[in-house]
Amino acid sequence: MTGPVRVRFAPSPTGYPHVGNIRTAMFNWLMARHTGGKLVLRIEDTDVARKVEGAVEAIMDGLKWLGLDWDEGPDVGGDYGPYYQSQRLELYRQATERLVAQGDAYYCYCSPERLEEMRAEQVRLKQPPGYDRHCRDLSPQERAEQQAKGITPVVRFKVPLEGQTTYNDVIWGDITFEHGTIDDFVLLKSDGYPTYHLANVVDDHAMKISHVIRAEEWISSVPRHLLLYRALGLAPPQFVHHPMILGPDRAKLSKRHGAVSILEYRAQGYLPETMLNFLSLIGWSLDDKTEIMSREELVDNFSLERIGRTGAIFNREKLDWMNGVYIRGLSTDDFAQRALPFLEKHLPTPVKRPLSADYVREIVPLIQERARTLVEVAGLAEFFFLDELEYDAGLLIGKNMDRQLAVRTLKTAENGLEQLASFDTESLEDLLRPMAVELGLKTGQLFGTLRVATTGRTAAPPLFQTMAVLGKERCQRRIAAALAMLERSPR
RNA sequence: GGCGCAUUCGUCUAGGGGUUUAGGACACCUCCCUCUCAAGGAGGAGAUCACCGGUUCGAAUCCGGUAUGCGCUACCA
């Protein structure tokens, strides 16, 4: 059992909130809540060029949607702010100066062009690419000469040429890297901003982070960070790397695999409780059978030890299934309320807005157990709202029936319905079941024809309930329309 | 190319030396329920535990190698 942790989610505001990143946030959040610790949100906006307007808001939006709250961050403040790295430049500058003064870092005047050529050459010679340490041992004069040219240098870390660094990953165990395979990476860019490596180390320490929980793709930067911690005389946090989310081709999940933003899933009608549950099961499991877990159960049972080591493909079909489970678990009111905006948005344009909340509440129980996403609700419920139904008249003629029989069936129903005093489910059943016998039809034949006439489709919610919601007048109108269609259609 | 890591049903996973004829879930198939669809219930099919060798009385489980895959290899994070 781990004591209260201080963990952080440190996204870079360069785009939409990717489900992979949100899952990382979720693991951090779970860990914070499980141990009674703190989650800090830190914005790693050190890449001026790639910064995207509105990205921070989108990320927060995604987090809030899933109910992943943070204890410290740009909007809520905290004792270790500011929480935008762009506002902490002085800290990085100081650390850099110290490293240079100690001889652990140096100014590098190499132009981007030179670096590019060098890399191309290395690739051509099939050598491991990496900085060739051209500026590592410049004399004071040489430095002065470069400086005189007006070149703004970057600062690089002086990686030891020999030795190795081993660390113990909570999930992967001991991992060892030879220093010889690590090049002199950049600490401070020429624009005065730090690189991810420097900023990460400085901030994780300054913010007293106890566990760094992030995706597997960062494993190879751990030795660099460890070297930095050591040079700065700081104690490193625990490192926890979780496996990544993969696309169907087993490559890192990306845009070309389809929806990757958590906000897209919201727009597609997935419930936040589904997403939280589903994401938690990618790379983590409670036991051999538990799958549906509430936020509380997740918090109570979460543990780093049960995070796996293999990347997992994002399985949309299973997501759909799980969302269906959650949708069916909602109260009618809750479901109606959640479905309403999706109906407003996705119902065909001829349908008048705003929708009647009362009518929607009547409809919704009939589709709740048939919908797997909130978007699907619109398609499933469409016929409840349309004035004109469009379908192939042939569908009115059921199995072992002919046109004439279909006409007779509809006319009989028309008359029967006319006589009906109260148009509720029970009355409809009492009228229609005997009617099938009377017509010499199987119930399926009668109901099928009526279903097509009243809904325009062969698959719909149960007939009597559907008709009751539709109402007498609308049903009659539709049956009359069906009759007209049959008459009109070519024999 | 270098470094690091991984490999159990199509997919997500449980299992970490004998309790396993390898368990569960999604998807798939059959049947039941039934006015259609959905939901639900009962079954079924699906994994030589990547491969090869070793350790052991015994290996999916431990060790080594091979293969394959993935990640990293920027003045991006």
Side-chain angles (χ1 to χ4, degrees):
Chain A
M1 177 63 201
T2 323
V5 297
R6 271 187 68 82
V7 291
R8 68 349 180 239
F9 176 52
S12 133
T14 50
Y16 50 83
H18 189 286
V19 287
N21 294 135
I22 294 295
R23 170 164 153 276
T24 298
M26 180 198 66
F27 282 147
N28 278 281
W29 179 84
L30 248 17
M31 198 53 192
R33 297 297 168 255
H34 179 78
T35 62
K38 301 283 185 208
L39 173 64
V40 352
L41 177 62
R42 181 174 77 218
I43 306 300
E44 308 219 326
D45 54 347
T46 55
D47 188 339
V48 183
R50 288 205 312 154
K51 187 174 171 156
V52 170
E53 213 51 54
V56 173
E57 290 69 24
I59 290 165
M60 290 187 177
D61 196 12
L63 255 20
K64 284 180 189 163
W65 181 58
L66 290 180
L68 304 179
D69 56 339
W70 49 97
D71 306 289
E72 297 170 27
D75 54 337
V76 295
D79 295 341
Y80 303 90
Y83 293 92
Y84 279 103
Q85 289 187 326
S86 58
Q87 293 169 17
R88 303 169 64 82
L89 264 25
E90 182 56 21
L91 244 41
Y92 313 128
R93 219 209 70 231
Q94 285 171 9
T96 308
E97 273 174 14
R98 175 177 162 189
L99 290 169
V100 171
Q102 286 175 186
D104 283 318
Y106 60 91
Y107 293 100
C108 167
Y109 301 87
C110 294
S111 67
E113 293 73 31
R114 193 188 97 77
L115 294 175
E116 207 170 305
E117 276 170 37
M118 173 199 73
R119 251 189 304 270
E121 182 69 2
Q122 287 165 337
V123 170
R124 200 177 63 77
L125 296 173
K126 301 209 167 188
Q127 285 172 352
Y131 181 57
D132 61 4
R133 303 191 157 117
H134 182 260
C135 300
R136 188 186 238 230
D137 299 302
L138 252 34
S139 65
Q141 282 142 275
E142 288 172 313
R143 280 190 45 202
E145 279 169 31
Q146 297 293 334
Q147 205 78 44
K149 287 186 200 160
I151 299 172
T152 316
V154 301
V155 178
R156 287 182 184 273
F157 187 70
K158 205 179 268 185
V159 175
L161 272 10
E162 315 252 294
Q164 50 185 210
T165 291
T166 295
Y167 86 98
N168 185 267
D169 195 289
V170 171
I171 292 170
W172 309 74
D174 283 347
I175 300 182
T176 302
F177 294 86
E178 296 288 335
H179 294 163
T181 64
I182 305 169
D183 74 346
D184 289 354
F185 54 97
V186 174
L187 257 20
L188 204 64
K189 302 183 251 186
S190 52
D191 62 4
Y193 278 75
T195 57
Y196 158 76
H197 301 297
L198 208 221
N200 228 257
V201 167
V202 167
D203 286 344
D204 281 342
H205 176 262
M207 296 181 180
K208 295 194 160 57
I209 299 303
S210 64
H211 297 250
V212 169
I213 305 173
R214 76 236 303 183
E216 179 191 348
E217 53 190 314
W218 301 112
I219 289 179
S220 27
S221 59
V222 173
R224 283 181 260 265
H225 298 179
L226 251 15
L227 255 12
L228 271 174
Y229 277 107
R230 195 195 296 168
L232 290 167
L234 307 174
Q238 282 280 166
F239 290 102
V240 185
H241 290 89
H242 63 246
M244 296 183 307
I245 302 183
L246 276 23
D249 59 356
R250 300 209 77 91
K252 184 155 85 166
L253 186 71
S254 74
K255 225 166 191 167
R256 68 192 167 83
H257 296 298
V260 284
S261 164
I262 190 72
L263 268 13
E264 286 178 69
Y265 287 91
R266 176 173 69 182
Q268 288 176 15
Y270 292 93
L271 308 185
E273 41 274 68
T274 306
M275 292 312 293
L276 193 71
N277 194 159
F278 185 74
L279 253 21
S280 77
L281 254 20
I282 298 181
W284 177 85
S285 65
L286 173 58
D287 54 30
D288 58 339
K289 40 197 59 144
T290 313
E291 304 228 78
I292 303 294
M293 280 168 281
S294 67
R295 155 191 319 271
E296 292 69 30
E297 289 173 303
L298 249 15
V299 168
D300 288 348
N301 295 302
F302 185 73
S303 79
L304 260 21
E305 287 67 36
R306 294 201 60 86
I307 292 181
R309 274 177 301 269
T310 52
I313 294 174
F314 190 94
N315 187 342
R316 275 297 280 260
E317 286 179 330
K318 190 155 183 173
L319 208 216
D320 284 345
W321 161 77
M322 188 176 281
N323 204 50
V325 171
Y326 275 99
I327 282 180
R328 277 174 253 126
L330 258 23
S331 71
T332 307
D333 278 353
D334 194 356
F335 177 60
Q337 216 171 324
R338 299 208 212 194
L340 190 59
F342 283 85
L343 284 169
E344 293 278 4
K345 177 157 192 224
H346 295 279
L347 243 20
T349 32
V351 177
K352 284 210 180 60
R353 315 305 207 274
L355 270 17
S356 152
D358 287 342
Y359 188 46
V360 168
R361 276 186 38 98
E362 283 186 73
I363 291 163
V364 129
L366 297 183
I367 39 185
Q368 184 165 2
E369 70 175 277
R370 290 168 177 77
R372 286 172 311 169
T373 69
L374 261 15
V375 166
E376 277 181 8
V377 173
L380 254 19
E382 200 178 81
F383 66 84
F384 280 111
F385 298 93
L386 261 13
D387 283 329
E388 304 263 322
L389 261 25
E390 273 179 47
Y391 56 92
D392 172 10
L395 294 175
L396 290 162
I397 305 166
K399 214 176 171 198
N400 298 321
M401 289 172 73
D402 57 19
R403 171 196 303 264
Q404 203 187 350
L405 182 52
V407 169
R408 191 153 67 85
T409 299
L410 286 169
K411 282 193 168 149
T412 309
E414 196 174 35
N415 290 332
L417 257 25
E418 180 60 38
Q419 311 298 319
L420 214 53
S422 77
F423 210 75
D424 56 51
T425 306
E426 210 173 306
S427 312
L428 283 162
E429 180 154 16
D430 289 346
L431 169 76
L432 265 13
R433 284 205 186 272
M435 187 181 288
V437 181
E438 196 182 305
L439 286 162
L441 291 174
K442 288 187 175 168
T443 50
Q445 292 176 301
L446 201 219
F447 299 165
T449 295
L450 282 176
R451 172 171 296 109
V452 173
T454 53
T455 70
R457 47 180 80 182
T458 53
L463 221 217
F464 316 132
Q465 295 173 50
T466 302
M467 287 175 72
V469 170
L470 246 17
K472 182 170 185 171
E473 200 243 357
R474 206 169 346 212
C475 285
Q476 286 180 312
R477 222 181 322 130
R478 291 185 179 185
I479 289 171
L483 245 10
M485 276 179 79
L486 273 180
E487 245 117 63
R488 237 184 299 125
S489 68
R491 330 211 139 224

